Amino acid sequence: MRLTVIGCGYLGAVHAAAIASIGHDVVGIDVDERKVASLSKGEAPFFEPGLQEILTAGIASGRLRFTTDMSQAQGAKVHFVGVGTPQQKDGYAADLTYVNAAVDGLLPYLSPGDIVAGKSTVPVGTAADLAPRVEETGATLVWNPEFLREGFAVKDTIDPDRLVVGVPAGEAGEAAADLLREVYHPSVAKNTPFIVTDLATAELVKVAANAFLATKISFINAMAEIAEVTGADVTQLADAIGHDVRIGRRFLGAGIGFGGGCLPKDIRAFSARAEELGRGESVAFLREVDAINLRRRERAVQLVLEAFGGSVFKKNVTVLGAAFKPYSDDIRDSPALDVAVRLHGLGAWVTITDPAALENAQRLHPQLNYVADRDEALRAADAIILVTEWDEYRRELTPEHASTLTDGRVVIDGRNGWDAAAWRAAGWTYYGMGRP
């Protein structure tokens, strides 16, 4: 089937390459000429495991191409809209400028029977506003939210744990759902849950999922705050309550909190939309979820200060990680960079290392010191802080090896990813998040 993907950022580029890899003919369309040129040469513009391989294969096969020309959308049966919805600069609400521009630019090239499938994360009610414009062309608007995890986005697109499609009532909606079953035929054949809803529910599914995950992370970090003043160990607490099948252990990793381009902006946009609907009190707890998350960054800085008696002036601090999570080069709202910048502002000499995100980080914060090699970054450090749990930090770096490189013996485990007893036995002063 011939398909288009409007918007070739993180979501769009992965989606275009992934659906081409299952046999569709795909045209990716974006206004950014540099991005299109890079993708057209088979060069992934960001780090995502597995993307480079399917991108190269798709272009070589002829099933995948990229362009800035919106008229190339004409003739495709399904048009996926995957542009960004950043937080507004003057508030919490989502900025729908790119969504509206993408749909308006697509309208002249739609034909009766076409499907416009929104994938962007949008405030509930957005599809209802867009639908009349699309329906005037004889096409049908549906909403097909994405549930990608950065670092696993290719797998999550090719082999998702569920597919959600919001459609309008009536025959047009039923036909649209059937067409998307054809698009996702490998997943449908494997009995992946294919959930058909109305438009508003599909929009709400995405933001509700992100709000729940953010709440779960901030809940365990709130418990870490209590643990810190009582002498309890939040990692043991998480293990114990995680055995309850109603709770589960996933996303109960206390530490420095969440970041990235999804959870922070999505819970804020959800709160803003609830206020617009006159139901702000229903999600008022999300404001506290956000506040708890930001407090954990400040707590990590406080632990460094405590380790040095209240001042980090002229102390060499090595920050392990720049990306907001491992297996990604995404630095949007990165807790790692936030902590690094705060320490720099307090007078520390901050060195950052990361396997994938240094170039992005240096572009945003050129005032910090960046070293690609982990061991070189550790050399002569007075303190180490783990903020992004890459395997080469969390699993492969031993306290004995670190001792051969650093001047100091202070470690702040911002992800509770290390064995505290092992580091202390090797002569280190160990600080965890919510751990005694």
Side-chain angles (χ1 to χ4, degrees), residues 14 41-42 66 96 98 153 196 229 238 319 351:
V14 171
K41 291 187 289 186
F66 296 91
L96 299 179
Y98 303 114
V196 180
V229 297
V319 177
T351 298

Side-chain angles (χ1 to χ4, degrees), residues 137-138 178-179 184 215 237 263 280 288 299 358 403:
T137 69
D178 287 341
L179 191 57
Y184 296 117
T215 300
L237 170 67
L263 294 189
E288 183 57 24
R299 178 56 180 161
L358 286 192
S403 297

